Amino acid sequence: MKEIKGTIASPKGFLADAVHAQLKYKNLDLGLILSQVPAAIAGVFTTNKVCAAPVLIDRQIVKKGQARAIICNSAVANAVTGEQGYANALKTQKLLAEKFELKAEEVAVCSTGVIGVQLPMEKIATGISKLSQNEGTAAYFAKAILTTDTQTKTINFEAEIGGQIVNMAGVCKGSGMIHPNMATMLAFITTDAKIAQALLQKTLSEIIETTFNQITVDGDTSTNDTVLLMANGQAKNNEILEGSSDYLLFKEMLAKVCQSLAKQIAADGEGATKLIEVTVKGAPNDLTARFIAKKIVGSSLVKTAIFGADPNWGRIISSIGQVANFEVSDIELKLQDELVLYHSTPVDFDAAFLSEKLKEDKIEIIADLNAGSGLGQAWGCDLTYKYVEINALYTS
Amino acid sequence: MKEIKGTIASPKGFLADAVHAQLKYKNLDLGLILSQVPAAIAGVFTTNKVCAAPVLIDRQIVKKGQARAIICNSAVANAVTGEQGYANALKTQKLLAEKFELKAEEVAVCSTGVIGVQLPMEKIATGISKLSQNEGTAAYFAKAILTTDTQTKTINFEAEIGGQIVNMAGVCKGSGMIHPNMATMLAFITTDAKIAQALLQKTLSEIIETTFNQITVDGDTSTNDTVLLMANGQAKNNEILEGSSDYLLFKEMLAKVCQSLAKQIAADGEGATKLIEVTVKGAPNDLTARFIAKKIVGSSLVKTAIFGADPNWGRIISSIGQVANFEVSDIELKLQDELVLYHSTPVDFDAAFLSEKLKEDKIEIIADLNAGSGLGQAWGCDLTYKYVEINALYTS
C-alpha cells in the first residue's frame, strides 16, 4: 500500500467537477462526484437530533445502498429550514439526476454553511447546468466544499487487492464556520474496489469510531456532519470478502484515509496553531482509552496550555481522573517524548526545554495508565485568541 | 426568609479567622471556620478519580458526620502528592486540633492551588499558631481561600424555622487557577439550624444537583472540588424534620445559598465578562432539562457568540440537538427575552437591537422544547481572549 498524489476522481470510473454557483461571493461552491457505474454507498451521519434536510435524504440512499453521484454545496447548510428546505434538497437531487440522466434516488445531497436560510434554488439550478463530465477538473471539488477552512484536505492511497491495483481517495472539509452556524464536517471517500455494500458499511462504521469520532475542535457536533463512501468495483478486483487478507488490507487503507482526513481537520481547527495527538495506553479496554484520549484533547485547559507551550501536566492528569471509571494510581505521562510523571509521581524535568518543544506544530501526549491493554488515540488543536476572534466577532 | 449582610461566622456559635501563612506572596492564605460545639457535617466531593489528599480525609469525616472545624489553605492543592501529601494533610488536621483543643478527626482539611507540590509544613504550622478565636476577623476567611478569583463570594440568609431565627451563611471560591493546576471549586456553608446529619446530607446532595453541578466554566472537574455544610444547632430551633414546612423552608434557604454561590462562581469564571443563565423548559423531565441547559452553557461556540454579542441562535439549537434523546421539532427560543425561533422556525428579529441587548452583563437564554414539563437551569460565562490569555501564558 502506498500514498499517491491524486484527486477524489482518481479511483477508476469516477469523475468530479465544481463550479461557482454564486452562493459564495467568488469561490467555488457547488461540487459533484460522479461514478460512471452504480456504486455501493456507505455512510455515517451526525447524531444531532436537529439534522439538516440533506442528511434525511442521504440516510435513505445509504439504506438502499447504491448511488451514482454526490452533489455538495457550501455557504448554505439547509438546516432548520422546515418543509421547504426538504423540498429544496429533493429538487437539487432531481436537477442533478436530469442533467446527467441518473435516477434521483441515486444522488446523494450535502450542504454546509448558514443555518436557517433556504437554498437559492435558481442559483443551484444554474450551477448544476454548468457541471460537466470533463476530466481535469476533479481537484476543484475539494475547494468547492470548504467554508472557513484555510486549506483543502485530501488523501489518496493505492494497494494491490484481489489481483488488481485498488485506488482509494478521500476529501473533506471541517471546522469552518459561517454565520450563524457551527462547524460542519463533511467527508467523501471514493474507491474502485469491488466489495459488497453491507461489508462496506460495516467497515466504515467501525473505522469511524477510531478516526472521525476521535477528533474534536470545540466539542460541538454539527447538524450536517456526514461521511459518504462510494465503491464502484471498477478496479475489477476479486470481490473483497470479510476475513480475507484482502479485506484486512482494504480495511487498513480505509483506516489510513479516514485517519489522515480526521487529522487534517483537527490541524485546521479554527484558530489552531498546533495539531495535538493524544495516545492513551494501558486502559482497561480500547473504548475507555479512546474516551479518555478524547477528553484530554478536548479540555480547554489542556488546549490553552498547549497554545502557551506550557508543560502543565496537572491538567492532563485531571482530565484523566475526570472520566476514568477505574483506579488511576500508576500513570506514566510523556509530553513531546519527555517524561513528566512516573508511577503517578512528578518527575523533575527541564521546564524551559520542554516548553521549547511544545512550540512545535505537532504535539504528542502519551499517557500509560498501567491498568490494562486498551489503546486509543484522539486528535485536536490548541485553543487560541484567534479561535475566540473567529467565533465572537461576526456582528460586532 | 431574607438575605442579610454577614460572614461565614454569622450563624450562632461559629467563629472564623484567616492569616497570611506565606504560602502566597502577600495575601491571606490560611482560613479557619470553627464551631463552638460539635456540628453535624455534610459534604459533596469531586468525582475526579485523581483526588487530592484532603478530599480523602474529609470523606471520612463526613461519613462519621460530626465536625468542629474546617481549615483551608490556598496556593497549594496537595494533589498528586502521594503518601507524603496524605501525611501532611493529617499533620495539618492534628496541628489545628492541638491549637484549639479539638479531636483531630473533627477537623476537615481543604486545599486549593498548585498540583504536584508538597505543603510547606513549617509555614502551615506557623500559620495555624497565629489563628485565633477572636471575633471580628470572620470576613477574612472568604479572602484566604481565593486563588485567581477576582472577588470574594459570600451569601447570608435568615429565616424563622422551628420557632427561632435560623441563620445560614455560604462562602466559596472557584474558577481560579494556579500553575500548574486547574480550576478548583470550594464552598463552605454554615448554619445554626438543628437538623439531623443524615437529613442534612440528603438535602445537600439533592440541592447540589441543581446548583453547583449546573455551573461550568470550562468543562473541567478539579481534583479538589469540595462542598462542606456544618449545622451546629445553636439557633435552638425545634429540630427540622423531613416533610415538615420547616424542612421545606430550610431546604429553600439552602437552595438559595447554593444557587447564589454557584452563580457567583460562574460570573467570576476566568476571563468572563458576562454571566450566562440558560433555562430549558418543556423537556421530558427535569434531569434532561438540566443536562441540555448545561450543554448549551458549556458550548464554546455559544460562549464565544455571547462574548461577541452575536445573536447566533443556530449554535444553541445545535447544542440542544446534540444531547436531546427525544424529538425536538417544536422549539421556542428566546435570547434576552427576544423571540428568535418559534415552532422551530426562524423568526424575523432586529439583529442589531438584540446584539445591543447581548452586551449586558447578564445573558438569559430560554428554550422551550414543548416535549414535556421538565425544567432545568445552568450557569456559565462567556469565552474570551482573556480566558485564553490566563490559561496559556504561565510560562511564556
Side-chain angles (χ1 to χ4, degrees):
Chain A
M1 184 184 334
K2 63 176 180 186
E3 190 177 334
I4 57 170
K5 286 191 185 295
T7 70
I8 193 65
S10 294
K12 293 184 197 69
F14 284 97
L15 292 165
D17 191 19
V19 296
H20 175 224
Q22 301 192 28
L23 305 173
K24 289 179 187 165
Y25 176 60
K26 63 174 196 172
N27 293 318
L28 295 170
D29 49 24
L30 187 68
L32 166 73
I33 299 172
L34 184 68
S35 173
Q36 290 167 325
V37 298
I41 186 166
V44 179
F45 303 95
T46 181
T47 54
N48 197 312
K49 277 278 175 181
V50 178
C51 71
V55 170
L56 298 173
I57 290 174
D58 293 348
R59 279 206 184 109
Q60 293 306 314
I61 291 174
V62 167
K63 200 180 259 181
K64 287 184 186 163
Q66 185 171 296
R68 287 286 306 276
I70 298 170
I71 175 92
C72 179
N73 74 276
S74 51
V76 176
N78 197 5
V80 196
T81 45
E83 287 176 19
Q84 195 193 328
Y86 189 72
N88 286 343
L90 287 174
K91 176 77 177 170
T92 304
Q93 203 183 23
K94 187 157 169 276
L95 287 168
L96 193 86
E98 285 168 2
K99 164 84 181 178
F100 294 103
E101 297 179 354
L102 312 171
K103 293 179 199 156
E105 64 267 28
E106 289 184 334
V107 178
V109 186
C110 295
S111 297
T112 177
V114 186
I115 272 195
V117 170
Q118 300 295 347
L119 280 175
M121 289 310 296
E122 285 196 20
K123 291 179 178 177
I124 294 284
T126 306
I128 286 176
S129 73
K130 291 182 190 162
L131 287 166
S132 81
Q133 298 190 58
N134 297 339
E135 291 187 18
T137 58
Y140 295 166
F141 183 86
K143 291 183 183 166
I145 63 175
L146 302 182
T147 52
T148 56
D149 302 62
T150 67
Q151 50 197 35
T152 57
K153 300 169 182 69
T154 67
I155 186 75
N156 285 71
F157 276 97
E158 65 172 32
E160 192 179 329
I161 295 179
Q164 300 291 341
I165 296 296
V166 165
N167 269 271
M168 190 178 286
V171 57
C172 68
K173 62 86 53 177
S175 315
M177 197 164 314
I178 297 179
H179 171 78
N181 196 12
M182 79 297 299
T184 281
M185 192 276 288
L186 296 179
F188 305 105
I189 302 164
T190 54
T191 177
D192 45 25
K194 185 172 180 190
I195 181 170
Q197 194 273 340
L199 185 54
L200 193 69
Q201 179 67 50
K202 180 184 167 187
T203 311
L204 178 65
S205 296
E206 195 178 323
I207 284 171
I208 289 288
E209 294 301 324
T210 57
T211 55
F212 289 112
N213 281 356
Q214 286 300 103
I215 56 171
T216 179
V217 171
D218 51 24
D220 277 302
T221 308
S222 146
T223 49
N224 293 49
D225 289 346
T226 298
V227 179
L228 290 175
L229 162 57
M230 291 172 84
N232 70 2
Q234 294 303 292
K236 309 289 185 190
N237 57 296
N238 298 322
E239 184 175 336
I240 298 167
L241 299 176
E242 194 168 4
S244 66
S245 60
D246 280 344
Y247 175 68
L248 292 180
L249 192 55
F250 177 80
K251 189 174 169 182
E252 189 188 337
M253 184 156 65
L254 183 59
K256 278 183 188 286
V257 165
C258 290
Q259 189 182 100
S260 168
L261 294 177
K263 287 166 77 166
Q264 289 182 60
I265 289 174
D268 195 25
E270 290 180 317
T273 68
K274 297 166 187 173
L275 170 69
I276 306 175
E277 177 174 280
V278 176
T279 304
V280 171
K281 300 194 280 197
N285 53 60
D286 290 352
L287 190 66
T288 302
R290 288 203 298 271
F291 190 69
I292 293 173
K294 198 169 175 184
K295 176 72 186 178
I296 294 171
V297 88
S299 159
S300 292
L301 295 175
V302 172
K303 288 156 64 82
T304 44
I306 298 297
F307 172 53
D310 181 4
N312 197 327
W313 58 265
R315 296 180 181 178
I316 298 168
I317 297 304
S318 178
S319 288
I320 294 170
Q322 280 177 67
V323 291
N325 53 358
F326 54 94
E327 273 313 302
V328 280
S329 51
D330 187 9
I331 302 175
E332 181 181 320
L333 183 66
K334 285 183 181 176
L335 300 181
Q336 300 296 70
D337 220 32
E338 293 292 311
L339 189 69
V340 296
L341 197 73
Y342 189 66
H343 292 322
S344 283
T345 304
V347 169
D348 275 330
F349 61 87
D350 183 338
F353 175 71
L354 182 48
S355 181
E356 274 307 307
K357 291 181 83 170
L358 288 171
K359 289 176 182 163
E360 294 165 15
D361 61 7
K362 183 178 175 193
I363 304 301
E364 289 188 344
I365 298 172
I366 301 176
D368 189 337
L369 308 183
N370 286 303
S373 59
L375 178 70
Q377 288 189 303
W379 299 272
C381 58
D382 52 345
L383 175 55
T384 68
Y385 297 119
K386 189 77 182 170
Y387 175 86
V388 176
E389 181 184 317
I390 292 171
N391 287 301
L393 301 185
Y394 285 124
T395 59
S396 55
Chain B
M1 184 184 335
K2 64 177 181 186
E3 190 177 335
I4 58 171
K5 286 191 185 295
T7 70
I8 193 65
S10 294
K12 292 184 197 69
F14 284 97
L15 292 165
D17 191 19
V19 297
H20 175 223
Q22 300 192 27
L23 306 173
K24 289 179 187 165
Y25 176 60
K26 63 173 197 174
N27 293 319
L28 295 171
D29 49 25
L30 187 68
L32 166 73
I33 299 172
L34 185 67
S35 173
Q36 290 166 325
V37 298
I41 186 165
V44 179
F45 304 95
T46 180
T47 55
N48 197 311
K49 278 277 174 181
V50 178
C51 71
V55 171
L56 298 173
I57 289 174
D58 293 349
R59 280 206 183 109
Q60 293 306 313
I61 291 175
V62 166
K63 200 180 258 181
K64 288 184 186 164
Q66 185 171 296
R68 286 286 305 276
I70 297 170
I71 175 92
C72 179
N73 75 276
S74 51
V76 177
N78 197 5
V80 196
T81 45
E83 287 176 20
Q84 195 192 330
Y86 189 72
N88 286 343
L90 287 174
K91 176 77 177 171
T92 304
Q93 203 183 23
K94 187 157 170 275
L95 287 168
L96 193 86
E98 286 169 2
K99 164 84 182 179
F100 294 104
E101 297 179 354
L102 312 171
K103 294 178 198 157
E105 65 268 28
E106 289 184 334
V107 178
V109 186
C110 295
S111 297
T112 177
V114 186
I115 272 195
V117 170
Q118 300 294 347
L119 279 175
M121 289 310 296
E122 285 196 20
K123 291 180 178 178
I124 294 285
T126 307
I128 286 176
S129 73
K130 292 183 191 161
L131 287 167
S132 81
Q133 298 190 57
N134 298 339
E135 291 186 19
T137 57
Y140 295 166
F141 183 86
K143 291 183 184 166
I145 63 175
L146 302 183
T147 52
T148 56
D149 302 62
T150 67
Q151 51 196 36
T152 57
K153 300 169 182 70
T154 67
I155 185 75
N156 285 70
F157 276 96
E158 66 172 33
E160 192 179 328
I161 295 179
Q164 299 291 341
I165 296 297
V166 166
N167 269 271
M168 189 178 287
V171 56
C172 68
K173 64 85 53 177
S175 316
M177 196 164 315
I178 297 179
H179 172 78
N181 197 11
M182 78 297 300
T184 281
M185 193 275 289
L186 297 179
F188 305 105
I189 302 164
T190 55
T191 177
D192 45 25
K194 185 173 181 190
I195 181 170
Q197 194 273 341
L199 185 55
L200 194 69
Q201 179 67 50
K202 180 184 167 187
T203 311
L204 179 64
S205 295
E206 195 178 323
I207 284 171
I208 289 288
E209 295 301 325
T210 57
T211 55
F212 289 112
N213 281 355
Q214 286 300 103
I215 57 171
T216 179
V217 170
D218 51 25
D220 277 302
T221 308
S222 147
T223 50
N224 292 48
D225 289 345
T226 298
V227 179
L228 290 175
L229 162 57
M230 292 173 84
N232 69 1
Q234 294 303 292
K236 309 289 185 190
N237 57 296
N238 298 322
E239 184 176 337
I240 298 167
L241 299 176
E242 194 168 4
S244 66
S245 59
D246 279 345
Y247 175 68
L248 292 180
L249 192 55
F250 178 80
K251 189 174 169 183
E252 189 188 337
M253 184 156 66
L254 183 59
K256 278 183 188 287
V257 165
C258 290
Q259 189 182 100
S260 168
L261 294 177
K263 287 167 77 166
Q264 289 182 60
I265 289 174
D268 196 24
E270 290 181 318
T273 68
K274 296 166 188 174
L275 171 68
I276 306 175
E277 177 174 279
V278 176
T279 304
V280 171
K281 299 194 280 197
N285 54 60
D286 290 352
L287 191 66
T288 302
R290 288 203 298 271
F291 190 69
I292 293 173
K294 198 169 175 184
K295 176 71 185 178
I296 294 170
V297 88
S299 159
S300 292
L301 295 176
V302 172
K303 287 157 65 81
T304 45
I306 297 296
F307 173 53
D310 181 4
N312 197 327
W313 58 265
R315 296 179 181 178
I316 298 168
I317 297 304
S318 178
S319 289
I320 294 170
Q322 280 177 66
V323 291
N325 53 358
F326 55 94
E327 274 313 303
V328 280
S329 51
D330 186 10
I331 302 175
E332 181 180 321
L333 183 66
K334 285 184 182 177
L335 300 182
Q336 300 296 71
D337 220 32
E338 293 292 310
L339 189 68
V340 295
L341 197 73
Y342 189 66
H343 291 322
S344 283
T345 304
V347 169
D348 275 330
F349 61 87
D350 183 338
F353 174 71
L354 181 48
S355 181
E356 274 307 308
K357 291 181 83 170
L358 288 170
K359 289 176 182 161
E360 294 165 15
D361 61 8
K362 183 178 175 193
I363 304 301
E364 289 188 343
I365 298 172
I366 302 176
D368 189 338
L369 309 182
N370 286 303
S373 58
L375 177 70
Q377 288 189 302
W379 299 272
C381 57
D382 52 346
L383 175 55
T384 68
Y385 298 118
K386 189 78 182 170
Y387 175 86
V388 176
E389 182 184 317
I390 292 171
N391 288 302
L393 301 185
Y394 285 123
T395 59
S396 54

